[in-house]
Amino acid sequence: PFDMFLEGDFITHIRNSMNESDWLVTTDLDEFHVVEGYDTFHKLQKDCENEKADYVWSVTFDHVKADGSIPPSIDPSVPIWDQFPQMCRLTDTVAKAYCRKLCMVKQNVLVSGGHHMVDKQYKKFSKEGITHHFKWFGDLHSREATKVKNFEIQNYKWIDENRRVIQFLETCGGNILHR
């Protein structure tokens, strides 16, 4: 199960092994960051450094199947963009979660859990990205229920987001775009 404190220790370990001039791409396993006009993070880093920026913001968009159904799995032989072509804001409208993310940060920038916030002392890059989120597949109800169970034990404040997703899944009739 996810453990925020272990994640924090892991990130601290990584950060401590980096040079001060290094940058860190912060992402969850079900996310891809895209900043328009950049095909590599290296190019983005150079422009951030030219602006003396410390981090790159993004906004989260969920990806779902075109017909709104929840597929049983992801097919590794088909590009994920083809499997989940429809962009929507389920994390925002259903989970009511904070949907701003940090795509990339300088080594010295401390990032909150979930990669959502930094202190105001840091300078934001002039362009924002999109965090493409691919969560809506498989037995999502069971995954969210397991998170709720673990989060109750660990007393995480964002547990209500997971409860709202479960409630939504129980009422959507298998189609997450049309209730």
Side-chain angles (χ1 to χ4, degrees):
F2 172 78
D3 186 308
M4 179 174 61
F5 300 107
L6 286 178
E7 178 193 33
D9 290 346
F10 179 70
I11 291 172
T12 298
H13 175 75
I14 290 172
R15 192 180 303 283
N16 289 342
S17 70
M18 297 170 66
N19 295 318
E20 283 188 26
S21 61
D22 289 340
W23 285 69
L24 183 66
V25 176
T26 55
T27 190
D28 295 342
L29 293 175
D30 60 358
E31 297 173 342
F32 293 101
H33 298 304
V34 175
V35 179
E36 189 173 336
Y38 296 92
D39 58 358
T40 69
F41 283 110
H42 182 72
K43 290 177 186 175
L44 178 59
Q45 175 184 340
K46 291 293 180 199
D47 281 358
C48 287
E49 290 169 349
N50 288 339
E51 282 189 19
K52 299 192 182 342
D54 299 304
Y55 67 93
V56 180
W57 259 132
S58 69
V59 64
T60 301
F61 281 88
D62 297 288
H63 281 257
V64 300
K65 286 188 66 165
D67 66 1
S69 65
I70 301 173
S73 63
I74 294 175
D75 182 346
S77 68
V78 177
I80 198 162
W81 308 101
D82 294 342
Q83 294 178 68
F84 301 94
Q86 182 68 40
M87 287 174 60
C88 59
R89 297 296 308 265
L90 292 168
T91 298
D92 180 32
T93 61
V94 172
K96 300 192 182 333
Y98 188 68
C99 291
R100 303 289 287 173
K101 296 286 267 191
L102 294 154
C103 299
M104 195 168 81
V105 298
K106 285 175 69 174
Q107 179 271 347
N108 66 319
V109 175
L110 299 178
V111 177
S112 70
H115 323 293
H116 292 287
M117 302 212 187
V118 296
D119 286 338
K120 293 181 182 187
Q121 70 193 28
Y122 299 112
K123 183 180 178 192
K124 177 179 71 162
F125 184 56
S126 60
K127 295 183 181 178
E128 290 190 0
I130 294 176
T131 297
H132 296 276
H133 190 216
F134 295 89
K135 162 183 180 163
W136 303 90
F137 71 92
D139 192 355
L140 185 57
H141 189 284
S142 290
R143 287 199 318 265
E144 293 297 307
T146 298
K147 287 179 189 176
V148 166
K149 183 178 174 183
N150 290 326
F151 290 173
E152 284 173 341
I153 294 166
Q154 298 175 24
N155 198 28
Y156 287 156
K157 63 184 177 186
W158 56 81
I159 190 172
D160 288 336
E161 296 170 11
N162 304 91
R163 288 181 176 137
R164 285 188 284 271
V165 170
I166 290 170
Q167 183 179 19
F168 172 76
L169 292 170
E170 290 172 350
T171 61
C172 74
N175 189 311
I176 55 180
L177 293 180
H178 310 288
R179 275 207 320 195

